[in-house]
Amino acid sequence: MTAKILEINDVTVSFDGFKALNHLNFSMDVGELRVIIGPNGAGKTTFLDVITGKVQPTEGQVIFKGRNLRKMPEYQIACFGVGRKFQTPRIYLNLTVRDNLDLACNRNKSVFPTLFQRTKGVEIRTVAGLLETIGLIAKADFPAALLSHGEKQRLEIGMLVAQSPDLLLVDEPVAGLTDEETENVGSLLLALAESHSIIVIEHDMEFVRQIARIVTVLHQGSVLCQGDMDEVQNDPRVIEVYLGKQEEE
Ligand SMILES: Nc1ncnc2c1ncn2[C@@H]1O[C@H](COP(=O)(O)OP(=O)(O)OP(=O)(O)O)[C@@H](O)[C@H]1O
């Protein structure tokens, strides 16, 4: 049986009685690339928030690498191997691409990774290797401010990977990107999926089709259905709550 990197058991998150997550059950294998879709308000961001420790479950458990994350502060969870990419790139615009990556690599040399038993064999990345992975060798010495939006997204993904996370959480990486940039980010995530477990939240169905193996659909804080792209797209419940409405927008 393949080891699970993440198990979410019967998790509910209540905000003043409103259940943003409602008895949610979810699991994924080590090395899996999983895409999460769902209508606005389905609970996707809250789902990421309970994994990173930003939000504590009201009920239920989040188990990462076999360990219950309950009451673990956010920075400890990050050091234990969860890396999160937010929708808007968080990079240093005045620094060069190379210096951004260098900073991220050096962050990894803090004492915390050794304190929180990182998985053996997780590759420690070099700046040169990262520049190649994210396809920005030619722009290594440009200030990050001069990059296109898609290149900034790739740089931030590179900075995340520099910290050798076991699980990458990527929130809407292609929102606002051109078709070409979208494809580049997709190829990058597919390349990273060869050595990382990755969760991607995305609304862009073309992009989801490019990268997805298994798709999980969230609705009203629970898993509505899960399967490959064809199964999910043809599921009448998904068409009703998400895909049908999306086409009308
Ligand atoms: N801190 C909070 N306090 C109260 N309600 C919240 C809070 N955070 C989220 N919610 C509510 O929980 C529900 C789920 O929100 P969440 O942001 O997780 O959904 P989402 O699927 O990410 O939506 P979107 O696609 O619009 O980003 C929404 O109805 C939202 O208004």
Side-chain angles (χ1 to χ4, degrees):
M1 206 175 77
T2 318
K4 298 285 176 201
I5 184 118
L6 180 69
E7 291 173 87
I8 296 188
N9 300 326
D10 208 22
V11 162
T12 294
V13 171
S14 295
F15 294 115
D16 299 326
F18 173 80
K19 291 181 176 171
L21 296 183
N22 191 2
H23 296 287
L24 181 103
N25 287 292
F26 174 91
S27 73
M28 65 183 268
D29 294 339
V30 171
E32 209 187 304
L33 167 63
R34 183 71 66 92
V35 180
I36 312 272
I37 61 172
N40 292 337
K44 302 180 296 296
T45 304
T46 310
F47 175 80
L48 296 187
D49 289 344
V50 290
I51 301 171
T52 59
K54 185 174 175 200
V55 165
Q56 282 292 323
T58 314
E59 289 173 51
Q61 295 177 323
V62 179
I63 313 282
F64 172 61
K65 294 197 294 184
R67 183 159 160 189
N68 190 343
L69 299 184
R70 185 160 188 80
K71 302 224 168 110
M72 225 195 249
E74 267 185 282
Y75 78 91
Q76 262 188 29
I77 293 174
C79 292
F80 190 41
V82 175
R84 180 174 190 173
K85 163 146 185 19
F86 289 87
Q87 207 174 324
T88 322
R90 297 179 173 194
I91 56 178
Y92 300 99
L93 294 173
N94 295 330
L95 296 184
T96 63
V97 171
R98 189 190 305 281
D99 288 346
N100 268 282
L101 291 171
D102 199 34
L103 258 182
C105 285
N106 281 318
R107 245 186 253 153
N108 194 40
K109 290 185 188 134
S110 73
V111 292
F112 290 112
T114 43
L115 284 179
F116 298 108
Q117 354 152 343
R118 306 301 312 281
T119 302
K120 284 194 187 110
V122 170
E123 205 181 325
I124 302 297
R125 304 278 181 154
T126 62
V127 172
L130 284 164
L131 280 168
E132 190 175 350
T133 305
I134 62 176
L136 290 178
I137 292 176
K139 298 200 171 171
D141 296 312
F142 286 26
L146 297 186
L147 298 180
S148 70
H149 186 43
E151 289 167 340
K152 285 179 184 147
Q153 295 287 32
R154 282 189 275 145
L155 173 57
E156 201 201 2
I157 292 171
M159 291 169 71
L160 208 57
V161 170
Q163 292 162 64
S164 306
D166 299 298
L167 174 64
L168 273 166
L169 307 176
V170 187
D171 197 358
E172 295 196 38
V174 301
L177 298 193
T178 63
D179 289 351
E180 191 187 345
E181 286 172 333
T182 297
E183 207 173 320
N184 288 338
V185 170
S187 305
L188 172 58
L189 289 174
L190 286 173
L192 292 175
E194 287 172 17
S195 51
H196 295 81
S197 308
I198 307 181
I199 295 178
V200 181
I201 289 186
E202 194 42 72
H203 283 289
D204 179 330
M205 292 308 288
E206 272 304 311
F207 177 71
V208 173
R209 202 169 291 116
Q210 183 194 347
I211 64 166
R213 286 98 191 240
I214 299 183
V215 180
T216 299
V217 186
L218 292 192
H219 178 53
Q220 296 180 342
S222 306
V223 173
L224 179 71
C225 80
Q226 195 162 283
D228 66 27
M229 197 61 198
D230 285 342
E231 284 169 322
V232 161
Q233 271 192 307
N234 292 316
D235 189 311
R237 294 167 302 170
V238 181
I239 295 169
E240 161 74 21
V241 306
Y242 185 53
L243 296 176
K245 282 187 185 152
Q246 221 191 17
E247 276 156 23
E248 283 162 23
E249 275 169 10

